[in-house]
Amino acid sequence: MFEQTMARIAGRFRRVEPRATARAFVLGLLSGVERKNCWRLAEQAGHARPGPMQRLLRTARWDADALRDDVRAYVHEHLGADNSVLIVDETGFLKKGVASAGVQRQYTGTAGRIENSQVGVFLAYASSRGRALIDRRLYLPDTSWSRDAERRTRAGVPEHVEFATKPTLAGQMIAAALDAGIGASWVTGDEAYGQDPGLRALLESRRTGYVLAVACSTRVQINQGRTAARADAVADRLPASAWHRQSAGAGAKGPRYYDWAWIEIGADGHRHLLVRRNPSSDELAFYLCWSPKRMPLSELVRVAGTRWCIEECFQAAKGQVGLDHYQVRHWTAWHRHVTLAMLALAFLAALAADATPARTAQPYRPAHSPDPIDLTVPEIRHLLGTLLSPPNTSPRRLLHWSNWRRTHQATARRSHYQRRLTAPATG
């Protein structure tokens, strides 16, 4: 199955060398290597130097966006189902220095605070068969990057790339997926995307339903559109009979039950304010919902509960296939590494889907069955990593790479010291 997957993308590489290196790169991402950067992947592949891996990401001739299209089609082919949902979200990549494309001090949920980081906006595809990342955009901050021509040139940012908000980037990815025939009926995302009226308008124009989180202060139109009120004020006036306990899907410890209420907003019968209440803490969450035809509450709850799938994708992509292990600064190199990591994750998700036996809906099966759980992405990656490990790594080879790494680290240290010593003293 791996050879079939690589044969599918072989045409994206014109020459034999980058094609073979890409295969070794993806194999390395699937291996048990602790840090999946070019140095470690080259050692894993049996190369004497990391040069081929570095050229693959920086200067080799191939189109990362075309490969991204292949990943998107591959995921739809293996995970496609009628109940699919597109999910938008962002994740941070903590960095040191100021040279990496798009880096600046900005808030990232990865750290939970403002940190020096890059931020990538991603699109995930989720269905009953599995989930995987299918598109990505590197966020380019406005003042510090989009308007700094010299900095853009050093980082290799293409001239045609202009500043775009994160919801705008999300809309571009959703539109591209729908244009490519990804037949998802729903889109979901957190407040950063739900608060953007442009993104909601785009989805409605594409006749694609959405369940998007919004802030408690969001104003909605109730009473057939005649009255405007804050979402939290509307929730406070709901009677006890308006709340319904339903599961937002299965979690690691069982069904995730919440209390849900929905209020029709507007005047066309296709818009709702969905409110989720935590039974333990009474904490509320709010969603704006729209669909081209009337839907039951249970369907809106299902879509809202699907949003967590992209968090699982980020966790698997970073923990299993090295999405954030790169040591590159260039715009092109970032997109190439991330796209190859998305391909590795998609391959694992396809394997997991194929290994899962078909069952009728059995929500309480885990409570009664003594069988092992289905194969998961981390378990499959662990098995593959063991099988793909070099059978006999000689001491000579280990010492060669140790000497190579330490020599280059010494060179970098000298360069840093010389730069520091020649810089004018301040303070």
Side-chain angles (χ1 to χ4, degrees):
M1 189 170 175
F2 177 78
E3 297 302 338
Q4 292 173 349
T5 302
M6 296 310 297
R8 183 173 185 149
I9 66 164
R12 300 301 182 187
F13 305 91
R14 298 181 182 179
R15 297 178 59 248
V16 172
E17 183 202 33
R19 189 181 308 144
T21 305
R23 181 183 183 279
F25 195 99
V26 176
L27 274 176
L29 295 177
L30 294 169
S31 73
V33 174
E34 183 179 359
R35 292 295 300 174
K36 291 169 173 131
N37 54 46
C38 286
W39 289 13
R40 298 292 185 180
L41 296 183
E43 181 180 4
Q44 171 74 13
H47 297 172
R49 296 287 188 274
M53 297 291 186
Q54 293 170 335
R55 285 194 296 273
L56 177 72
L57 296 186
R58 182 68 183 270
T59 60
R61 297 184 64 183
W62 61 283
D63 187 345
D65 285 347
L67 182 59
R68 179 272 321 275
D69 294 345
D70 291 337
V71 173
R72 183 173 57 205
Y74 180 85
V75 169
H76 190 244
E77 177 182 318
H78 287 272
L79 305 183
D82 293 339
N83 60 356
S84 59
V85 179
L86 295 176
I87 315 164
V88 292
D89 202 358
E90 63 199 60
T91 188
F93 302 87
L94 303 183
K95 303 297 289 183
K96 296 180 180 179
V98 297
S100 299
V103 71
Q104 73 167 17
R105 286 190 59 78
Q106 55 192 321
Y107 178 83
T108 168
T110 302
R113 59 184 181 272
I114 294 175
E115 284 282 357
N116 199 61
S117 63
Q118 295 168 297
V119 171
V121 182
F122 286 80
L123 182 68
Y125 178 91
S127 74
S128 56
R129 290 183 53 77
R131 67 278 304 172
L133 301 173
I134 62 172
D135 206 346
R136 73 288 179 270
R137 297 285 193 279
L138 179 58
Y139 173 67
L140 197 67
D142 188 12
T143 304
S144 62
W145 277 95
S146 296
R147 305 180 194 179
D148 191 332
E150 182 180 351
R151 198 179 191 194
R152 288 169 59 105
T153 300
R154 287 198 303 266
V157 180
E159 291 185 3
H160 68 270
V161 175
E162 300 178 348
F163 171 73
T165 65
K166 295 167 187 174
T168 298
L169 296 176
Q172 293 172 0
M173 293 188 291
I174 293 167
L178 296 176
D179 289 343
I182 305 300
S185 301
W186 293 98
V187 170
T188 187
D190 66 16
E191 287 184 23
Y193 304 94
Q195 295 289 143
D196 188 82
L199 179 58
R200 300 198 304 268
L202 169 68
L203 296 174
E204 292 181 27
S205 70
R206 301 296 298 254
R207 308 296 292 172
T208 302
Y210 58 77
V211 179
L212 295 168
V214 293
C216 63
S217 58
T218 300
R219 299 187 71 81
V220 295
Q221 302 292 327
I222 58 176
N223 297 331
Q224 294 293 309
R226 295 187 298 269
T227 306
R230 282 175 52 118
D232 52 2
V234 173
D236 287 343
R237 293 197 293 266
L238 292 174
S241 59
W243 296 95
H244 308 272
R245 184 155 297 184
Q246 295 192 18
S247 170
K253 299 181 180 179
R256 294 174 294 140
Y257 284 108
Y258 295 94
D259 295 328
W260 301 85
W262 61 335
I263 304 98
E264 188 171 304
I265 57 178
D268 58 8
H270 298 277
R271 301 178 190 278
H272 291 86
L273 173 67
L274 179 67
V275 187
R276 185 192 73 194
R277 185 176 66 192
N278 188 309
S280 301
S281 65
D282 287 335
E283 181 182 3
L284 299 179
F286 303 88
Y287 305 83
L288 288 183
C289 309
W290 179 87
S291 59
K293 59 182 180 180
R294 291 181 178 273
M295 290 290 174
L297 172 62
S298 58
E299 180 67 358
L300 301 184
V301 169
R302 181 188 73 84
V303 177
T306 305
R307 202 205 71 80
W308 68 271
C309 290
I310 197 168
E311 301 293 347
E312 184 183 77
C313 286
F314 289 148
Q315 182 179 7
K318 291 182 177 182
Q320 304 299 323
V321 297
L323 182 75
D324 59 343
H325 291 189
Y326 58 85
Q327 292 178 331
V328 298
R329 297 175 176 175
H330 201 267
W331 175 274
T332 298
W334 185 90
H335 285 85
R336 288 180 171 184
H337 175 93
V338 167
T339 304
L340 289 169
M342 287 167 51
L343 173 63
L345 180 65
F347 173 68
L348 293 174
L351 276 179
D354 286 357
T356 301
R359 301 188 184 94
T360 57
Q362 301 177 41
Y364 301 107
R365 172 179 168 271
H368 305 293
S369 174
D371 297 335
I373 67 169
D374 296 330
L375 281 168
T376 62
V377 164
E379 181 65 17
I380 291 174
R381 212 283 312 149
H382 171 72
L383 295 173
L384 281 175
T386 302
L387 292 171
L388 298 174
S389 296
N392 294 304
T393 300
S394 67
R396 181 184 182 89
R397 180 178 163 193
L398 287 173
L399 290 173
H400 162 80
W401 270 99
S402 174
N403 185 64
W404 193 94
R405 283 192 297 272
R406 290 182 293 110
T407 299
H408 280 260
Q409 287 163 351
T411 301
R413 183 176 62 182
R414 285 196 302 273
S415 176
H416 289 311
Y417 269 69
Q418 290 170 359
R419 187 181 304 115
R420 185 67 60 86
L421 291 172
T422 56
T426 59

